Short mmCIF file of all heavy atoms in Angstrom, two decimals:
data_model
loop_
_atom_site.label_atom_id
_atom_site.label_comp_id
_atom_site.label_asym_id
_atom_site.label_seq_id
_atom_site.Cartn_x
_atom_site.Cartn_y
_atom_site.Cartn_z
N VAL A 33 71.42 141.93 103.51
CA VAL A 33 72.44 141.49 104.48
C VAL A 33 73.00 140.12 104.07
O VAL A 33 72.79 139.12 104.74
CB VAL A 33 71.88 141.44 105.93
CG1 VAL A 33 71.79 142.80 106.54
CG2 VAL A 33 70.54 140.74 105.99
N PRO A 34 73.72 140.08 102.95
CA PRO A 34 74.25 138.81 102.49
C PRO A 34 75.17 138.13 103.48
O PRO A 34 75.30 136.90 103.52
CB PRO A 34 74.99 139.16 101.18
CG PRO A 34 75.25 140.62 101.28
CD PRO A 34 74.15 141.21 102.11
N GLU A 35 75.82 138.95 104.36
CA GLU A 35 76.70 138.37 105.36
C GLU A 35 75.93 137.50 106.37
O GLU A 35 76.53 136.62 106.97
CB GLU A 35 77.51 139.47 106.08
CG GLU A 35 76.69 140.52 106.79
CD GLU A 35 76.27 141.71 105.92
OE1 GLU A 35 76.20 141.58 104.71
OE2 GLU A 35 76.01 142.76 106.51
N ILE A 36 74.66 137.74 106.53
CA ILE A 36 73.82 136.90 107.40
C ILE A 36 73.19 135.78 106.59
O ILE A 36 73.09 134.64 107.05
CB ILE A 36 72.69 137.74 108.06
CG1 ILE A 36 73.26 138.71 109.07
CG2 ILE A 36 71.71 136.83 108.77
CD1 ILE A 36 72.22 139.54 109.78
N ALA A 37 72.76 136.10 105.40
CA ALA A 37 71.99 135.17 104.57
C ALA A 37 72.74 133.89 104.29
O ALA A 37 72.14 132.81 104.24
CB ALA A 37 71.57 135.84 103.28
N HIS A 38 74.03 133.96 104.05
CA HIS A 38 74.78 132.80 103.57
C HIS A 38 75.71 132.21 104.63
O HIS A 38 76.48 131.31 104.32
CB HIS A 38 75.58 133.19 102.34
CG HIS A 38 74.73 133.70 101.22
ND1 HIS A 38 73.86 132.88 100.53
CD2 HIS A 38 74.54 134.93 100.72
CE1 HIS A 38 73.20 133.60 99.63
NE2 HIS A 38 73.61 134.85 99.73
N GLU A 39 75.62 132.69 105.83
CA GLU A 39 76.52 132.24 106.90
C GLU A 39 75.73 131.46 107.93
O GLU A 39 74.93 132.03 108.66
CB GLU A 39 77.20 133.45 107.53
CG GLU A 39 78.37 133.13 108.40
CD GLU A 39 79.54 132.56 107.67
OE1 GLU A 39 79.88 133.06 106.58
OE2 GLU A 39 80.13 131.58 108.16
N LYS A 40 75.92 130.17 107.96
CA LYS A 40 75.15 129.29 108.85
C LYS A 40 75.31 129.71 110.32
O LYS A 40 74.33 129.68 111.10
CB LYS A 40 75.61 127.84 108.69
CG LYS A 40 74.63 126.83 109.13
CD LYS A 40 75.07 125.42 108.74
CE LYS A 40 73.89 124.47 108.89
NZ LYS A 40 74.17 123.18 108.32
N ALA A 41 76.48 130.15 110.71
CA ALA A 41 76.73 130.55 112.09
C ALA A 41 75.91 131.80 112.46
O ALA A 41 75.68 132.06 113.64
CB ALA A 41 78.19 130.80 112.32
N MET A 42 75.48 132.55 111.47
CA MET A 42 74.73 133.78 111.72
C MET A 42 73.22 133.54 111.77
O MET A 42 72.46 134.47 112.03
CB MET A 42 75.04 134.83 110.64
CG MET A 42 76.49 135.26 110.59
SD MET A 42 77.03 136.07 112.09
CE MET A 42 76.43 137.70 111.80
N ARG A 43 72.80 132.32 111.51
CA ARG A 43 71.36 132.02 111.49
C ARG A 43 70.62 132.43 112.74
O ARG A 43 69.56 133.06 112.67
CB ARG A 43 71.16 130.51 111.20
CG ARG A 43 69.75 130.08 110.93
CD ARG A 43 69.23 130.61 109.63
NE ARG A 43 70.27 130.54 108.62
CZ ARG A 43 70.08 130.31 107.36
NH1 ARG A 43 68.91 130.07 106.90
NH2 ARG A 43 71.07 130.29 106.51
N PRO A 44 71.17 132.14 113.97
CA PRO A 44 70.46 132.60 115.17
C PRO A 44 70.29 134.12 115.23
O PRO A 44 69.26 134.61 115.66
CB PRO A 44 71.36 132.11 116.31
CG PRO A 44 72.14 130.99 115.73
CD PRO A 44 72.32 131.34 114.29
N GLN A 45 71.27 134.85 114.77
CA GLN A 45 71.17 136.30 114.76
C GLN A 45 70.09 136.76 113.79
O GLN A 45 69.34 137.68 114.07
CB GLN A 45 72.52 136.92 114.40
CG GLN A 45 72.61 138.33 114.84
CD GLN A 45 74.04 138.77 115.07
OE1 GLN A 45 74.98 138.04 114.81
NE2 GLN A 45 74.20 139.98 115.58
N LEU A 46 70.01 136.13 112.61
CA LEU A 46 68.98 136.46 111.65
C LEU A 46 67.60 136.19 112.25
O LEU A 46 66.70 137.03 112.16
CB LEU A 46 69.15 135.67 110.36
CG LEU A 46 68.08 135.83 109.30
CD1 LEU A 46 67.95 137.27 108.86
CD2 LEU A 46 68.36 134.92 108.11
N LEU A 47 67.44 135.03 112.87
CA LEU A 47 66.15 134.71 113.49
C LEU A 47 65.79 135.71 114.60
O LEU A 47 64.63 136.09 114.75
CB LEU A 47 66.16 133.28 114.00
CG LEU A 47 66.25 132.19 112.94
CD1 LEU A 47 66.42 130.81 113.59
CD2 LEU A 47 65.06 132.24 112.01
N SER A 48 66.78 136.12 115.34
CA SER A 48 66.55 137.11 116.39
C SER A 48 66.10 138.44 115.82
O SER A 48 65.17 139.07 116.31
CB SER A 48 67.84 137.29 117.21
OG SER A 48 67.70 138.33 118.13
N LEU A 49 66.74 138.88 114.75
CA LEU A 49 66.34 140.13 114.09
C LEU A 49 64.93 140.00 113.52
O LEU A 49 64.13 140.94 113.65
CB LEU A 49 67.32 140.48 112.95
CG LEU A 49 68.73 140.90 113.39
CD1 LEU A 49 69.64 140.98 112.18
CD2 LEU A 49 68.71 142.21 114.13
N MET A 50 64.61 138.87 112.94
CA MET A 50 63.28 138.67 112.38
C MET A 50 62.22 138.69 113.46
O MET A 50 61.19 139.35 113.31
CB MET A 50 63.23 137.32 111.64
CG MET A 50 64.11 137.22 110.43
SD MET A 50 63.74 138.42 109.15
CE MET A 50 62.07 137.99 108.78
N SER A 51 62.45 138.00 114.56
CA SER A 51 61.42 137.98 115.62
C SER A 51 61.28 139.34 116.27
O SER A 51 60.18 139.71 116.71
CB SER A 51 61.75 136.90 116.65
OG SER A 51 62.93 137.21 117.36
N ALA A 52 62.35 140.13 116.35
CA ALA A 52 62.26 141.48 116.90
C ALA A 52 61.43 142.41 115.97
O ALA A 52 60.78 143.33 116.44
CB ALA A 52 63.65 142.08 117.12
N ALA A 53 61.45 142.13 114.68
CA ALA A 53 60.72 142.97 113.73
C ALA A 53 59.25 142.58 113.61
O ALA A 53 58.39 143.41 113.35
CB ALA A 53 61.36 142.90 112.36
N LEU A 54 58.96 141.32 113.83
CA LEU A 54 57.57 140.84 113.66
C LEU A 54 56.82 140.94 114.98
O LEU A 54 57.27 140.42 116.00
CB LEU A 54 57.59 139.40 113.17
CG LEU A 54 58.18 139.18 111.79
CD1 LEU A 54 58.37 137.70 111.53
CD2 LEU A 54 57.30 139.81 110.73
N GLU A 55 55.69 141.63 114.95
CA GLU A 55 54.91 141.77 116.16
C GLU A 55 54.10 140.52 116.48
O GLU A 55 53.80 140.24 117.63
CB GLU A 55 53.97 142.97 116.03
CG GLU A 55 54.71 144.29 116.00
CD GLU A 55 53.80 145.48 115.91
OE1 GLU A 55 52.59 145.32 116.13
OE2 GLU A 55 54.29 146.57 115.61
N GLU A 56 53.73 139.80 115.46
CA GLU A 56 52.88 138.63 115.66
C GLU A 56 53.55 137.42 115.00
O GLU A 56 54.63 137.51 114.47
CB GLU A 56 51.52 138.88 115.01
CG GLU A 56 50.81 140.11 115.57
CD GLU A 56 49.60 140.50 114.75
OE1 GLU A 56 49.14 139.68 113.91
OE2 GLU A 56 49.13 141.62 114.92
N GLU A 57 52.84 136.32 115.04
CA GLU A 57 53.31 135.12 114.38
C GLU A 57 53.43 135.41 112.86
O GLU A 57 52.70 136.21 112.31
CB GLU A 57 52.30 133.98 114.62
CG GLU A 57 52.89 132.63 114.37
CD GLU A 57 51.95 131.54 114.86
OE1 GLU A 57 51.57 131.56 116.04
OE2 GLU A 57 51.60 130.70 114.04
N TRP A 58 54.31 134.70 112.20
CA TRP A 58 54.60 134.95 110.79
C TRP A 58 53.36 134.74 109.90
O TRP A 58 52.74 133.69 109.94
CB TRP A 58 55.72 134.03 110.30
CG TRP A 58 55.93 134.13 108.83
CD1 TRP A 58 55.43 133.31 107.88
CD2 TRP A 58 56.62 135.17 108.14
NE1 TRP A 58 55.79 133.74 106.64
CE2 TRP A 58 56.51 134.90 106.77
CE3 TRP A 58 57.29 136.31 108.55
CZ2 TRP A 58 57.07 135.72 105.79
CZ3 TRP A 58 57.87 137.11 107.58
CH2 TRP A 58 57.75 136.82 106.23
N ARG A 59 53.01 135.76 109.18
CA ARG A 59 52.03 135.62 108.11
C ARG A 59 52.47 136.47 106.92
O ARG A 59 51.77 136.61 105.96
CB ARG A 59 50.63 135.99 108.59
CG ARG A 59 50.54 137.37 109.22
CD ARG A 59 49.07 137.71 109.52
NE ARG A 59 48.89 139.12 109.37
CZ ARG A 59 49.04 139.98 110.39
NH1 ARG A 59 49.32 139.56 111.57
NH2 ARG A 59 48.88 141.26 110.17
N GLY A 60 53.65 137.01 107.07
CA GLY A 60 54.22 137.85 106.04
C GLY A 60 54.78 139.10 106.69
O GLY A 60 54.64 139.32 107.89
N LEU A 61 55.43 139.90 105.89
CA LEU A 61 56.04 141.14 106.38
C LEU A 61 55.26 142.32 105.81
O LEU A 61 55.28 142.53 104.58
CB LEU A 61 57.49 141.16 105.90
CG LEU A 61 58.56 141.91 106.63
CD1 LEU A 61 58.72 141.39 108.06
CD2 LEU A 61 59.89 141.83 105.92
N ASN A 62 54.55 143.07 106.67
CA ASN A 62 53.85 144.25 106.14
C ASN A 62 54.84 145.43 106.18
O ASN A 62 55.99 145.27 106.60
CB ASN A 62 52.59 144.53 106.93
CG ASN A 62 52.83 144.87 108.38
OD1 ASN A 62 53.90 145.35 108.75
ND2 ASN A 62 51.84 144.63 109.23
N LEU A 63 54.38 146.60 105.76
CA LEU A 63 55.27 147.74 105.64
C LEU A 63 55.88 148.12 107.00
O LEU A 63 57.08 148.41 107.10
CB LEU A 63 54.57 148.95 105.02
CG LEU A 63 55.40 150.21 104.84
CD1 LEU A 63 56.62 149.94 103.95
CD2 LEU A 63 54.57 151.34 104.28
N ASP A 64 55.07 148.12 108.05
CA ASP A 64 55.59 148.48 109.39
C ASP A 64 56.68 147.50 109.82
O ASP A 64 57.73 147.90 110.35
CB ASP A 64 54.47 148.52 110.42
CG ASP A 64 53.55 149.72 110.22
OD1 ASP A 64 53.99 150.70 109.60
OD2 ASP A 64 52.40 149.67 110.71
N ASP A 65 56.40 146.19 109.64
CA ASP A 65 57.40 145.18 109.99
C ASP A 65 58.68 145.37 109.17
O ASP A 65 59.78 145.23 109.67
CB ASP A 65 56.86 143.77 109.76
CG ASP A 65 55.67 143.41 110.63
OD1 ASP A 65 55.56 143.99 111.74
OD2 ASP A 65 54.89 142.55 110.24
N PHE A 66 58.49 145.65 107.89
CA PHE A 66 59.60 145.88 106.96
C PHE A 66 60.46 147.03 107.44
O PHE A 66 61.69 146.93 107.49
CB PHE A 66 59.07 146.12 105.56
CG PHE A 66 60.12 146.51 104.56
CD1 PHE A 66 60.91 145.56 103.98
CD2 PHE A 66 60.31 147.85 104.22
CE1 PHE A 66 61.90 145.92 103.05
CE2 PHE A 66 61.27 148.23 103.29
CZ PHE A 66 62.08 147.24 102.70
N LEU A 67 59.83 148.17 107.79
CA LEU A 67 60.58 149.33 108.24
C LEU A 67 61.37 149.02 109.52
O LEU A 67 62.54 149.41 109.66
CB LEU A 67 59.65 150.51 108.48
CG LEU A 67 58.99 151.09 107.24
CD1 LEU A 67 57.95 152.14 107.60
CD2 LEU A 67 60.01 151.67 106.27
N LYS A 68 60.74 148.29 110.42
CA LYS A 68 61.41 147.90 111.66
C LYS A 68 62.61 146.98 111.35
O LYS A 68 63.69 147.15 111.89
CB LYS A 68 60.41 147.17 112.57
CG LYS A 68 60.76 147.20 114.03
CD LYS A 68 59.74 146.48 114.88
CE LYS A 68 58.35 147.01 114.68
NZ LYS A 68 57.34 146.32 115.51
N LEU A 69 62.38 146.00 110.46
CA LEU A 69 63.42 145.07 110.08
C LEU A 69 64.60 145.79 109.41
O LEU A 69 65.76 145.50 109.71
CB LEU A 69 62.88 143.97 109.17
CG LEU A 69 63.86 142.87 108.78
CD1 LEU A 69 64.35 142.11 110.01
CD2 LEU A 69 63.20 141.91 107.78
#
Side-chain angles (χ1 to χ4, degrees):
V33 283
E35 59 273 24
I36 292 181
H38 302 291
E39 194 66 44
K40 201 173 195 170
M42 298 297 279
R43 189 69 39 146
Q45 200 154 7
L46 175 59
L47 293 174
S48 174
L49 292 170
M50 295 299 300
S51 66
L54 296 170
E55 292 182 14
E56 302 169 15
E57 198 170 305
W58 174 262
R59 55 174 212 268
L61 206 60
N62 64 25
L63 180 59
D64 289 339
D65 295 335
F66 173 80
L67 292 173
K68 203 179 305 180
L69 183 63

